[in-house]
Amino acid sequence: MATRLYTHPIFLEHITPPGHPERPDRLRALARALEGEAFSALDRVEAPAGDEATILYAHPAEFVARVRAAIPETGIARIDADTTASPKSWQAAVTAIGAANAAVDDVFEGRADNVFVAARPPGHHAEKTTAMGFCLFNNAAIAARHAQRKHGAERVAIVDWDVHHGNGTQDIFWDDPSVLYCSTHQMPLYPGTGAKNETGAGNIVNAPLSPGTGSDHFREAFLSRVLPAVHDFSPDLVIVSAGFDAHHRDPLAEIELTEDDFDWATGRLMELAGRHGGGKLVSLLEGGYDLQGLAYSAAAHVGRLMKG
Ligand code: ZN
């Protein structure tokens, strides 16, 4: 087996306004970073069409219909202050979900050791009934529920190291102890949630980081809060909400990580996934807005996944 990579040309057709940080060039930079010899063993697969019915795993039908109605026939429609949709955004969003669900199928059915999904739009800010923060639907949450419904997973851990708190994922699983949600993120920062005392049904673990936090404090937070929670939870599957905007080059935040930190964090999660769930790990791209920081970080992350 190997590490599988899902992507799809449709992800480049979710168009955002000029100057918007969440732009198609992110995926182009990421693809170039994964072209080298070191990645020749990657199992590259085009993402399958998604099943729209699985959106309902995390969002009510009324909300899904509202997002669909907001997709414009031409131009760019504004959904909230910083979340927009273009004519192909629906297909991109559904394909991103299809890729995440297929990645779950792959690790449960033995087609891959682990999987990285390079898709957009991202998902972790999408709450049950609110599209926000560049996100339409919550890909990680849908994938977690897919693992439970289709593969009988009893416990799914979602680890989110995007520099922004995943308010959407927290919202969706707030009272669902079958899913553990752990997040490291800068605080204060958008979207404003993610304090330590937000604990849901005991299944939410927030590790907020002060602006200026570097490798040492990030790793300490990961070691002291995130990893013990995942270990105690004994998940059947680990899903990573892999944003790379905590990289020091990123323009949207003030956390000072390097690509080595993403390599390290990936390795620690792989160890835990191996101990509890037979190594099943699915990683979904979230943020990361400096093209070079994103490319280097994703390369370090995927390189570590491939080392098995
Ligand atoms: Zn982010």
Side-chain angles (χ1 to χ4, degrees), residues 205-226:
V205 177
N206 285 311
L209 307 170
S210 303
T213 292
S215 298
D216 291 351
H217 277 106
F218 166 77
R219 293 188 188 204
E220 185 186 302
F222 217 70
L223 286 168
S224 66
R225 291 182 63 76
V226 174

Side-chain angles (χ1 to χ4, degrees), residues 218-238:
F218 166 77
R219 293 188 188 204
E220 185 186 302
F222 217 70
L223 286 168
S224 66
R225 291 182 63 76
V226 174
L227 296 175
V230 174
H231 176 73
D232 290 348
F233 189 66
S234 188
D236 304 307
L237 168 69
V238 174

Side-chain angles (χ1 to χ4, degrees), residues 26 122 124-125 133-135 160-166 189-191 242-246 250 252-253 286-289:
R26 298 177 58 233
H124 74 149
H125 292 305
F134 317 160
C135 304
D160 183 339
W161 65 52
D162 188 282
V163 81
H164 302 95
H165 181 243
L189 189 66
Y190 181 91
F244 298 107
D245 40 11
D250 200 275
L252 266 56
E286 299 280 2
Y289 304 101

Side-chain angles (χ1 to χ4, degrees), residues 135-150:
C135 304
L136 299 179
F137 301 120
N138 197 307
N139 309 321
I142 293 165
R145 290 253 163 87
H146 178 73
Q148 294 181 320
R149 288 179 181 226
K150 182 166 177 186

Side-chain angles (χ1 to χ4, degrees), residues 7-284:
T7 189
H8 194 290
I10 192 67
F11 299 143
L12 301 175
E13 295 190 52
H14 167 59
I15 307 298
T16 49
H20 196 286
E22 205 294 282
R23 58 209 191 275
D25 278 349
R26 298 177 58 233
L27 287 191
R28 295 189 181 100
L30 198 155
R32 277 194 299 276
L34 299 179
E35 269 170 7
E37 181 69 21
F39 300 99
S40 58
L42 258 185
D43 177 23
R44 298 160 198 269
V45 181
E46 185 163 286
D51 176 0
E52 292 180 14
T54 64
I55 304 173
L56 299 174
Y57 292 174
H59 304 281
E62 174 275 329
F63 167 73
V64 178
R66 189 151 35 96
V67 172
R68 180 159 216 163
I71 306 291
E73 284 187 21
T74 59
I76 294 174
R78 198 164 280 285
I79 290 182
D80 86 344
D82 48 25
T83 310
T84 59
S86 64
K88 294 288 179 65
S89 293
W90 180 264
Q91 197 188 338
V94 173
T95 308
I97 291 163
N101 290 342
V104 168
D105 293 342
D106 290 336
V107 297
F108 275 94
E109 293 168 1
R111 283 185 296 275
D113 292 312
N114 50 48
V115 185
F116 180 63
V117 177
R120 47 187 295 283
H124 74 149
H125 292 305
E127 299 185 345
K128 282 177 197 154
T129 59
T130 308
M132 59 184 280
F134 317 160
C135 304
L136 299 179
F137 301 120
N138 197 307
N139 309 321
I142 293 165
R145 290 253 163 87
H146 178 73
Q148 294 181 320
R149 288 179 181 226
K150 182 166 177 186
H151 301 287
E154 291 180 6
R155 293 173 307 282
V156 179
I158 300 175
V159 176
D160 183 339
W161 65 52
D162 188 282
V163 81
H164 302 95
H165 181 243
N167 60 296
T169 315
Q170 173 169 298
D171 172 61
I172 290 163
F173 297 114
W174 182 256
D175 54 4
D176 180 353
S178 73
V179 174
L180 175 72
Y181 176 68
C182 299
S183 175
T184 55
H185 48 273
Q186 180 178 321
M187 192 168 213
L189 189 66
Y190 181 91
T193 49
K196 269 188 184 173
N197 64 3
E198 296 167 20
T199 56
N203 61 319
I204 308 285
V205 177
N206 285 311
L209 307 170
S210 303
T213 292
S215 298
D216 291 351
H217 277 106
F218 166 77
R219 293 188 188 204
E220 185 186 302
F222 217 70
L223 286 168
S224 66
R225 291 182 63 76
V226 174
L227 296 175
V230 174
H231 176 73
D232 290 348
F233 189 66
S234 188
D236 304 307
L237 168 69
V238 174
I239 294 176
V240 184
S241 266
F244 298 107
D245 40 11
H247 191 276
H248 66 90
R249 291 182 56 94
D250 200 275
L252 266 56
E254 295 90 37
I255 300 296
E256 306 292 333
L257 302 191
T258 71
E259 44 273 25
D260 290 344
D261 296 307
F262 296 114
D263 178 331
W264 175 85
T266 304
R268 299 291 79 73
L269 287 180
M270 288 169 70
E271 279 174 16
L272 281 183
R275 208 178 302 168
H276 296 287
K280 291 191 276 299
L281 187 149
V282 164
S283 175
L284 309 178

